[in-house]
Amino acid sequence: MPAYGNDELTKSVQDLFSHIFETECTVFFATTGSAANGLALSQLVPPYGATFCHEFSHVQMDEVGTPEFYTGGAKLLTLPGEQGKLTPEALSQGLKFYFPEMTHHVKPKALSITQGTEAGTVYTCEEIMALTEIAKEFGLKTHMDGARLTNALVHLGCSPAEMTWKAGVDVLCFGATKNGALAAEAIVFFDAADTEDFAWRHKRSGHVWSKNRFMAAQWQAFLKDGLWLKLAGQANAMASRLAEGLRAIEGCEVVYPTQINEVFVTFPAGMAEGLLEKGASFYDWVYPGDRWNGRLKRLVTSYVTTTEEVDAFLTQARHQVDS
Amino acid sequence: MPAYGNDELTKSVQDLFSHIFETECTVFFATTGSAANGLALSQLVPPYGATFCHEFSHVQMDEVGTPEFYTGGAKLLTLPGEQGKLTPEALSQGLKFYFPEMTHHVKPKALSITQGTEAGTVYTCEEIMALTEIAKEFGLKTHMDGARLTNALVHLGCSPAEMTWKAGVDVLCFGATKNGALAAEAIVFFDAADTEDFAWRHKRSGHVWSKNRFMAAQWQAFLKDGLWLKLAGQANAMASRLAEGLRAIEGCEVVYPTQINEVFVTFPAGMAEGLLEKGASFYDWVYPGDRWNGRLKRLVTSYVTTTEEVDAFLTQARHQVDS
Amino acid sequence: MPAYGNDELTKSVQDLFSHIFETECTVFFATTGSAANGLALSQLVPPYGATFCHEFSHVQMDEVGTPEFYTGGAKLLTLPGEQGKLTPEALSQGLKFYFPEMTHHVKPKALSITQGTEAGTVYTCEEIMALTEIAKEFGLKTHMDGARLTNALVHLGCSPAEMTWKAGVDVLCFGATKNGALAAEAIVFFDAADTEDFAWRHKRSGHVWSKNRFMAAQWQAFLKDGLWLKLAGQANAMASRLAEGLRAIEGCEVVYPTQINEVFVTFPAGMAEGLLEKGASFYDWVYPGDRWNGRLKRLVTSYVTTTEEVDAFLTQARHQVDS
Amino acid sequence: MPAYGNDELTKSVQDLFSHIFETECTVFFATTGSAANGLALSQLVPPYGATFCHEFSHVQMDEVGTPEFYTGGAKLLTLPGEQGKLTPEALSQGLKFYFPEMTHHVKPKALSITQGTEAGTVYTCEEIMALTEIAKEFGLKTHMDGARLTNALVHLGCSPAEMTWKAGVDVLCFGATKNGALAAEAIVFFDAADTEDFAWRHKRSGHVWSKNRFMAAQWQAFLKDGLWLKLAGQANAMASRLAEGLRAIEGCEVVYPTQINEVFVTFPAGMAEGLLEKGASFYDWVYPGDRWNGRLKRLVTSYVTTTEEVDAFLTQARHQVDS
């Protein structure tokens, strides 16, 4: 089999992306979402440039500076926003400060949106468009971090095209790993003009598999017959069930709308410890200066989570209240 | 004359630094404060590391990403603080988030303090020590951005040693340019153990003058017979006089304590425009989200500012009120 | 299953490496050999440092500057050497030039050896030791690019320990992909003191699989019951058979000793074209200034190459001569 | 005075460059030649790109990797060439290897020529044009390292325009430091289209003087009334006189044509030591693998070197032979 993505399977999967997104796409692959984000941003943002992103976004908080590594040190300019979502107001204010152009400040070149967000919420297509229109006005390209894209898509019920390029997104990092793949992320450019020399950046990062057919095979299986939507739908449904159940338990507060496969909750005293002791697995969800002072927990469901597992968790939580 | 700093004048100036700081210093030179800061931080912080700094510090806001360039993309982690000053509380909270060590987050390696601050204020030696003690506890080195160091020193009336290494500072970027030099900044290491291979970093940045004696000559003149203190003293005194005068004018609000050679003031409607029209020169002082909504002005005095000039400015300001 | 390599399978595979190399190893994984090399070198070589390597090595020629990307721009200093192998003489001469230390030159920090080489040859353990001893004398660490390590090991018939850390290698990039894995490369540190903060570099590069058990599973299968040695042995044997057959054909010149799974050959006029037409698959092997003026071909055998395939190729080659 | 180059003097000096080069120039300043070269190359060459240069050029040998620092790790591809000069043949061969485009190799983006060369020789305008024509054919931009530009210009007796943009040079790094300035180098773009966002790169490097008028003043004095040509002419004349004298001394071999202010010579046994003992000052001139095995010396004359000094040196050299 030809190596480095010159095989037939890789080519057919690239066509599949164009079909699904209803436009000619240029697709590159990466093993992790961090790498995909870093690579995409390095194409949009020069070292002296900057990217606006949410203050608690994955690129800012959880990638050990991957974007800075890939871009050669371009800054992330963080903006606040409730429930993990950027607002047109915050973006406009940020841009107002950095323009008119002044060489003492970094030069904004991109906007990065996370869909679904780190708070488990989802931008509507209109919300995305409101942001990308401002970005375009100032000459910024828009990157979408779509590690949980399919979950957001299922939530909105719109088409992949509507949520991405039709809403003004230039480059999408589309993740399959969180919904079932072994290690498969795709960098999807919607305009070929944005891909100049990207093949060199890509190869230089060490993310081009010699046996790329095994990367392509994951995508083929994932995207075939709507499997991706089915898997994300199951994960979302389980999170909804979980959130609903938790809301009914005294002292539990679900703090964000549950729109994808994550539930953010504060438990009454002792409950988290009790659940962990019984074998549950979840993380503290903390930010510098978070208002819950470290008490917020993130519960994640997946495509293999079952109704029985959710119900057992809820039963256990109720036991904790009673005891 | 020997090139690249091997001349006698350069050597004697290095001794002068050790004399002034009352300890063996290792000194390197740079042409600008941004370069000095970037070089110093690149020695302390690896690419995957991070530096805590004030959210409105020069390294974060006004250097186009110089620290990111020099460090190879290490992040600046910004902390809030009134009047341009970091607090032990904010630093502790930041450190609490980033430790225990977790490879999803960048690894804090340095603290950067600006003395005098971007708000024209000055840390006391005790305030510096309170910060550096926390830094040391977590294994962080402390960098001091001293573009206005002499002004701060004059304000405090302490010794250079007390305000720097005795207060826990590891590397100082000491500026002479703002107080009279042509282009002279010094990177001062207080512990030779911190300078390993720094000569290579320095040369690689293109900041080593072949005719370094002309750099050294500036420092010799600056530091000789207390000239530096005299120049900074004049600048400070003029700022104090200006601030005092402005406070007495109706509608003028001096928003920060005037401790060095900068006055931050909001003028009543129309006054700024009137003063600029009459030939005054000052800048808007804006931040993303600043509470004065763009109305804050920064007035800077210098070592050549005279009492007559300050008084003329004040007279003009009073005229604006009257008219 | 715990993510990011905290699973039991990953842990057991790390133990397996220590068992095979007969010493406590610290192992990290990467998807490609280029990434593994870049990551390993970034740990050994600071941005102002340099790595000695063969002028036609993979790190120099075929990674689009991956080492420069990962190290933040550290130079590769190329040395000549027959049959793809570095010599102690060339290394000594290079070191003599770069030392005594002079800040106008980059500072050598590492030596990179490729085992088996890009010319399909293999260093003996003594040859490796001769190089690493010089490296150590000058304070350089030694990196081994082992994309074809198993093939070299089978050729030498020594133990993995003898060919690596016992011969002075500090960090090994060990590849399984070329001998059967999907995408599995390992960065093996033989001294834990060399791994400080490496986990951050690793995560920052985007090469840490969240579902790392799938990476570990490949290694488990590869290293179990000597499968790796069997696979490489088959590839090597097929290359030997191919080389032997080619040597017997008039006008074919096998230009390097065939020690692993590669045969470098020049064909008589027209033969290459004839073979390609009949469905054979091989590459031109060119270098800037190569002595064969573009006529050298690289034939690669693999773990799935059969005796029948080799013989069919040879038969076809003989037909080309006869016709 | 307005800061950061917005002063009248800076503006008038920029006009002076356009006048001297007979075309609209865009000029930026730097303190050292290394910085100027690094900055210029970073504008022409992306991180995954490459620059062809002479194997013994200053950018390759003597800048501790400054180009790699500024470009974010782009490779220098070295080419051989007699007497410090690149040849069209070597460049063509290099380009033939790197094209057709292949993502396993770095992508050549620039050619760097040194005028006068590190061997003290000078390209004719025709030689430059022969190189830049090949470069243009492959889409490469041409950078000229002109640390000794004025010396070369005096040697050729042509116009600045003829030796630069009329011969196909896109960006010139023009040095005044070696011919009398304190620390003044200029990055001269001949096509404004090549300067996009360069002001941000420049500021980010820490090479923009706040008191830029002192940089401009050096250039004003240097370029006024032909002073630059007079100074370089004196240095060149003294080198010619020195070379001529040395050629007449038994056992001395001047190994390169003396075309600027440098004489490369091998002395008979003991002479170098004798001269150094008598107070002469010169350097060993060594390369990895140089044919003189470390015996080559570089003698540099300057704008303040006098006939008497040259003659005294020659007298001393003759004494060494006699004794």
Side-chain angles (χ1 to χ4, degrees):
Chain A
M1 298 281 283
Y4 298 110
N6 295 313
D7 58 284
E8 286 308 308
L9 184 56
T10 297
K11 282 172 190 164
S12 76
V13 164
Q14 284 168 335
D15 291 343
L16 192 51
F17 275 87
S18 295
H19 175 72
I20 281 175
F21 283 99
E22 301 171 60
T23 189
E24 183 78 20
C25 298
T26 312
V27 183
F28 297 85
F29 300 104
T31 309
T32 68
S34 294
N37 287 333
L39 278 163
L41 289 174
S42 74
Q43 183 73 356
L44 305 181
V45 187
Y48 53 84
T51 303
F52 284 105
C53 65
H54 192 277
E55 63 182 323
F56 302 141
S57 60
H58 201 267
V59 287
Q60 166 66 6
M61 297 298 288
D62 297 302
E63 302 188 350
V64 212
T66 304
E68 287 85 353
F69 176 41
Y70 278 85
T71 59
K75 284 182 93 80
L76 296 179
L77 301 173
T78 59
L79 300 172
E82 291 300 304
Q83 302 185 350
K85 289 158 86 169
L86 293 171
T87 62
E89 293 68 33
L91 178 59
S92 292
Q93 189 171 44
L95 282 161
K96 191 177 152 195
F97 176 73
Y98 282 97
F99 288 87
E101 299 191 354
M102 186 182 167
T103 60
H104 292 238
H105 297 160
V106 288
K107 191 169 182 176
K109 294 279 185 177
L111 164 68
S112 177
I113 297 173
T114 311
Q115 176 78 322
T117 76
E118 288 298 295
T121 56
V122 174
Y123 289 95
T124 64
C125 295
E126 293 69 31
E127 286 173 334
I128 295 169
M129 202 176 297
L131 290 165
T132 64
E133 274 173 6
I134 297 168
K136 275 188 211 326
E137 189 187 335
F138 284 84
L140 274 61
K141 295 276 181 182
T142 298
H143 159 256
M144 178 175 273
D145 176 352
R148 299 180 192 277
L149 187 91
T150 317
N151 304 87
L153 197 62
V154 166
H155 173 74
L156 290 183
C158 65
S159 75
E162 285 166 342
M163 204 173 77
T164 57
W165 64 273
K166 287 188 177 173
V169 172
D170 296 292
V171 189
L172 166 69
C173 293
F174 180 8
T177 312
K178 287 188 189 299
N179 276 305
L182 189 149
E185 308 284 319
I187 304 156
V188 184
F189 290 92
F190 296 114
D191 183 346
D194 290 335
T195 65
E196 195 190 345
D197 284 353
F198 187 76
W200 278 264
R201 289 192 187 276
H202 190 210
K203 188 69 172 56
R204 188 178 189 239
S205 72
H207 279 284
V208 179
W209 289 22
S210 54
K211 302 180 182 179
N212 198 66
R213 58 192 182 276
F214 293 118
M215 172 62 84
Q218 296 180 63
W219 280 102
Q220 193 189 46
F222 186 63
L223 295 176
K224 201 179 161 187
D225 299 334
L227 178 62
W228 56 312
L229 301 169
K230 192 181 144 198
L231 294 171
Q234 171 68 10
N236 283 12
M238 292 303 98
S240 291
R241 185 180 188 93
L242 180 59
E244 199 176 345
L246 287 169
R247 276 195 205 93
I249 297 173
E250 198 185 323
C252 289
E253 188 191 357
V254 176
V255 305
Y256 301 134
T258 301
Q259 299 179 333
I260 53 173
N261 66 324
E262 298 178 310
V263 181
F264 292 83
V265 63
T266 57
F267 290 120
M271 187 184 283
E273 295 72 14
L275 288 163
L276 290 169
E277 207 169 272
K278 295 290 179 185
S281 172
F282 51 80
Y283 285 103
D284 286 351
W285 203 248
V286 292
Y287 291 116
D290 76 76
R291 76 185 71 158
W292 297 279
N293 205 18
R295 292 194 308 110
L296 191 61
K297 312 295 171 189
R298 186 182 71 157
L299 314 183
V300 181
T301 56
S302 91
Y303 53 98
V304 292
T305 305
T306 61
T307 307
E308 289 69 31
E309 287 170 331
V310 170
D311 291 350
F313 182 94
L314 291 169
T315 301
Q316 189 57 53
R318 279 187 295 261
H319 275 310
Q320 297 285 331
V321 177
D322 299 340
S323 65
Chain B
M1 300 279 282
Y4 298 108
N6 295 314
D7 59 285
E8 286 309 308
L9 185 54
T10 296
K11 282 171 192 165
S12 77
V13 165
Q14 285 167 335
D15 291 343
L16 194 49
F17 274 88
S18 295
H19 175 72
I20 281 176
F21 284 97
E22 301 171 61
T23 189
E24 184 78 18
C25 299
T26 313
V27 184
F28 297 85
F29 300 104
T31 310
T32 68
S34 295
N37 287 333
L39 278 163
L41 289 174
S42 74
Q43 184 72 357
L44 305 181
V45 186
Y48 54 85
T51 302
F52 284 105
C53 65
H54 192 277
E55 62 181 325
F56 303 142
S57 60
H58 201 268
V59 288
Q60 165 66 7
M61 298 298 289
D62 297 302
E63 301 188 350
V64 213
T66 303
E68 286 85 352
F69 176 41
Y70 278 85
T71 58
K75 284 181 93 80
L76 297 179
L77 301 173
T78 59
L79 299 172
E82 291 300 303
Q83 302 184 350
K85 289 158 85 169
L86 293 171
T87 62
E89 293 70 32
L91 179 58
S92 292
Q93 189 172 43
L95 282 161
K96 192 178 152 195
F97 176 73
Y98 283 97
F99 287 87
E101 299 193 353
M102 185 182 167
T103 60
H104 292 239
H105 297 160
V106 289
K107 191 169 182 177
K109 293 281 185 175
L111 164 68
S112 177
I113 296 173
T114 311
Q115 177 78 324
T117 76
E118 289 298 295
T121 57
V122 174
Y123 289 95
T124 65
C125 296
E126 292 70 30
E127 286 172 333
I128 295 169
M129 203 175 296
L131 290 164
T132 64
E133 275 173 5
I134 297 168
K136 274 189 214 323
E137 189 188 332
F138 284 84
L140 274 59
K141 294 277 181 181
T142 298
H143 159 255
M144 179 175 272
D145 176 353
R148 301 180 190 278
L149 186 91
T150 317
N151 304 87
L153 198 62
V154 167
H155 173 74
L156 291 182
C158 65
S159 76
E162 286 165 341
M163 203 173 77
T164 56
W165 64 273
K166 287 187 176 174
V169 173
D170 297 291
V171 188
L172 167 69
C173 292
F174 180 8
T177 311
K178 287 188 188 297
N179 275 305
L182 189 149
E185 309 284 319
I187 304 156
V188 184
F189 290 91
F190 296 114
D191 183 347
D194 291 334
T195 67
E196 193 190 346
D197 285 351
F198 187 77
W200 278 263
R201 290 192 186 274
H202 190 210
K203 188 70 171 56
R204 187 178 190 240
S205 73
H207 279 284
V208 179
W209 290 21
S210 54
K211 301 180 181 179
N212 198 66
R213 58 193 181 275
F214 294 119
M215 172 62 84
Q218 296 179 64
W219 280 103
Q220 193 188 47
F222 185 63
L223 295 176
K224 201 179 162 187
D225 299 334
L227 178 62
W228 56 312
L229 301 168
K230 192 181 144 199
L231 294 171
Q234 173 66 12
N236 283 10
M238 291 305 98
S240 292
R241 186 180 188 94
L242 180 59
E244 199 176 345
L246 286 170
R247 274 193 206 95
I249 297 174
E250 197 185 322
C252 289
E253 188 193 356
V254 175
V255 304
Y256 301 134
T258 301
Q259 298 178 333
I260 53 172
N261 65 325
E262 297 178 311
V263 180
F264 291 83
V265 63
T266 56
F267 290 120
M271 186 183 284
E273 295 72 15
L275 286 163
L276 290 169
E277 206 168 273
K278 294 291 179 184
S281 173
F282 51 81
Y283 285 103
D284 287 350
W285 204 248
V286 292
Y287 290 115
D290 75 77
R291 77 184 72 157
W292 298 279
N293 204 17
R295 290 192 311 110
L296 191 62
K297 312 294 171 189
R298 185 182 72 157
L299 313 183
V300 181
T301 57
S302 91
Y303 54 96
V304 293
T305 304
T306 62
T307 307
E308 289 70 30
E309 287 170 330
V310 170
D311 292 350
F313 183 93
L314 291 169
T315 300
Q316 190 56 52
R318 279 187 294 262
H319 275 309
Q320 297 285 332
V321 177
D322 299 342
S323 64
Chain C
M1 298 279 283
Y4 298 109
N6 294 315
D7 58 286
E8 286 309 307
L9 185 55
T10 297
K11 282 171 191 165
S12 77
V13 164
Q14 285 167 336
D15 290 344
L16 193 50
F17 274 87
S18 296
H19 175 71
I20 281 176
F21 284 97
E22 301 172 59
T23 189
E24 182 78 19
C25 298
T26 312
V27 183
F28 297 86
F29 299 104
T31 310
T32 69
S34 295
N37 286 332
L39 278 163
L41 289 174
S42 75
Q43 183 72 355
L44 305 181
V45 186
Y48 53 85
T51 303
F52 284 105
C53 65
H54 192 278
E55 61 182 324
F56 303 142
S57 60
H58 201 268
V59 288
Q60 166 66 7
M61 298 298 289
D62 296 302
E63 300 188 351
V64 213
T66 304
E68 288 84 351
F69 176 41
Y70 278 85
T71 59
K75 283 181 94 79
L76 297 179
L77 301 172
T78 60
L79 299 172
E82 291 299 303
Q83 302 184 349
K85 288 158 87 169
L86 293 172
T87 63
E89 294 69 33
L91 178 59
S92 292
Q93 189 172 42
L95 282 160
K96 192 177 152 196
F97 176 74
Y98 283 97
F99 287 88
E101 299 193 351
M102 186 183 166
T103 60
H104 292 239
H105 296 161
V106 289
K107 190 169 184 177
K109 294 280 184 175
L111 164 68
S112 177
I113 297 173
T114 310
Q115 177 77 324
T117 76
E118 289 297 295
T121 57
V122 174
Y123 289 95
T124 65
C125 295
E126 293 69 32
E127 286 173 334
I128 295 169
M129 204 176 295
L131 290 165
T132 64
E133 274 174 4
I134 297 168
K136 275 190 212 323
E137 188 187 334
F138 284 84
L140 275 60
K141 295 277 182 182
T142 298
H143 159 256
M144 179 175 273
D145 176 353
R148 300 179 191 278
L149 187 90
T150 317
N151 305 85
L153 197 62
V154 167
H155 173 74
L156 291 182
C158 65
S159 75
E162 285 165 342
M163 203 173 78
T164 58
W165 64 273
K166 286 188 176 173
V169 173
D170 296 291
V171 188
L172 166 69
C173 293
F174 180 8
T177 311
K178 287 188 189 299
N179 277 305
L182 189 149
E185 308 285 319
I187 305 156
V188 184
F189 290 92
F190 296 114
D191 183 347
D194 290 335
T195 66
E196 193 190 347
D197 284 352
F198 187 77
W200 278 265
R201 289 191 186 276
H202 190 211
K203 187 71 171 58
R204 187 179 189 239
S205 73
H207 279 285
V208 179
W209 289 21
S210 54
K211 302 181 181 178
N212 198 66
R213 59 193 182 273
F214 294 118
M215 171 63 82
Q218 296 179 63
W219 281 102
Q220 193 189 45
F222 185 64
L223 295 176
K224 200 179 162 187
D225 299 335
L227 178 62
W228 57 311
L229 301 168
K230 192 181 143 197
L231 294 171
Q234 172 66 12
N236 283 12
M238 291 305 98
S240 291
R241 185 179 187 93
L242 180 59
E244 198 176 345
L246 287 169
R247 276 194 205 94
I249 297 174
E250 197 185 322
C252 289
E253 189 193 357
V254 175
V255 305
Y256 300 134
T258 301
Q259 299 179 332
I260 52 172
N261 66 325
E262 298 178 311
V263 181
F264 291 83
V265 63
T266 56
F267 290 120
M271 187 184 283
E273 295 72 14
L275 287 163
L276 290 168
E277 207 168 90
K278 293 291 178 184
S281 172
F282 50 81
Y283 285 103
D284 287 351
W285 203 248
V286 293
Y287 291 116
D290 75 78
R291 76 185 71 158
W292 297 279
N293 203 21
R295 290 193 311 109
L296 191 60
K297 312 295 169 189
R298 186 182 71 157
L299 313 183
V300 181
T301 56
S302 91
Y303 53 99
V304 294
T305 305
T306 62
T307 308
E308 290 70 29
E309 287 169 330
V310 170
D311 292 351
F313 182 93
L314 291 169
T315 301
Q316 190 57 52
R318 278 187 295 262
H319 275 309
Q320 297 285 331
V321 176
D322 299 341
S323 63
Chain D
M1 299 280 283
Y4 298 109
N6 295 314
D7 59 286
E8 286 310 307
L9 185 54
T10 297
K11 283 172 190 163
S12 76
V13 164
Q14 284 168 335
D15 291 344
L16 193 49
F17 274 87
S18 295
H19 175 73
I20 281 175
F21 284 97
E22 301 172 59
T23 190
E24 183 78 19
C25 299
T26 312
V27 183
F28 296 85
F29 299 104
T31 309
T32 68
S34 294
N37 286 333
L39 278 163
L41 289 174
S42 74
Q43 183 73 356
L44 306 181
V45 186
Y48 54 84
T51 302
F52 284 105
C53 65
H54 192 278
E55 63 182 323
F56 303 141
S57 60
H58 200 268
V59 288
Q60 165 67 6
M61 297 299 288
D62 297 302
E63 301 188 349
V64 213
T66 304
E68 286 86 352
F69 176 41
Y70 278 86
T71 58
K75 283 181 92 79
L76 297 179
L77 300 173
T78 59
L79 300 172
E82 291 299 305
Q83 302 184 351
K85 289 158 85 169
L86 293 171
T87 63
E89 293 70 33
L91 179 59
S92 292
Q93 190 172 43
L95 282 161
K96 192 178 151 193
F97 175 73
Y98 283 97
F99 288 87
E101 299 192 353
M102 187 182 165
T103 60
H104 292 237
H105 297 159
V106 289
K107 190 168 183 178
K109 293 281 186 175
L111 164 69
S112 177
I113 297 173
T114 310
Q115 177 79 322
T117 76
E118 288 298 293
T121 57
V122 174
Y123 289 95
T124 65
C125 296
E126 293 70 31
E127 286 173 334
I128 295 169
M129 203 176 297
L131 290 164
T132 63
E133 275 174 5
I134 296 168
K136 275 190 213 321
E137 189 188 332
F138 284 84
L140 274 62
K141 295 276 181 181
T142 299
H143 159 257
M144 179 174 273
D145 176 354
R148 300 179 191 277
L149 186 92
T150 317
N151 304 86
L153 197 63
V154 166
H155 173 74
L156 291 182
C158 65
S159 75
E162 286 166 341
M163 205 173 78
T164 56
W165 64 273
K166 286 187 176 174
V169 172
D170 296 291
V171 188
L172 168 69
C173 291
F174 180 7
T177 311
K178 287 188 188 299
N179 276 306
L182 190 148
E185 308 284 320
I187 304 157
V188 184
F189 290 92
F190 295 115
D191 184 347
D194 290 334
T195 65
E196 193 190 346
D197 284 351
F198 187 77
W200 277 264
R201 289 192 187 274
H202 190 212
K203 187 69 171 57
R204 188 178 189 239
S205 74
H207 278 286
V208 179
W209 289 21
S210 54
K211 302 181 181 178
N212 198 65
R213 59 193 182 275
F214 293 119
M215 172 63 83
Q218 295 180 65
W219 280 102
Q220 192 187 48
F222 185 65
L223 295 176
K224 199 178 163 189
D225 299 336
L227 178 61
W228 56 311
L229 301 168
K230 193 181 143 198
L231 294 171
Q234 173 65 11
N236 283 12
M238 292 304 97
S240 291
R241 186 181 187 93
L242 179 59
E244 198 176 348
L246 287 169
R247 274 194 205 95
I249 297 173
E250 199 186 320
C252 289
E253 190 194 355
V254 175
V255 305
Y256 301 134
T258 302
Q259 299 179 332
I260 54 172
N261 67 325
E262 299 179 310
V263 181
F264 291 83
V265 63
T266 56
F267 291 120
M271 187 185 282
E273 295 72 14
L275 288 163
L276 291 168
E277 206 168 273
K278 293 292 179 183
S281 172
F282 50 81
Y283 286 103
D284 286 350
W285 203 247
V286 292
Y287 291 114
D290 76 76
R291 76 185 72 158
W292 298 278
N293 204 17
R295 291 192 309 109
L296 190 62
K297 312 295 171 190
R298 185 182 71 157
L299 313 182
V300 181
T301 57
S302 90
Y303 53 97
V304 293
T305 306
T306 62
T307 307
E308 290 70 30
E309 287 170 330
V310 170
D311 291 351
F313 182 93
L314 291 168
T315 301
Q316 191 56 53
R318 279 185 295 261
H319 275 310
Q320 297 285 331
V321 177
D322 299 343
S323 65

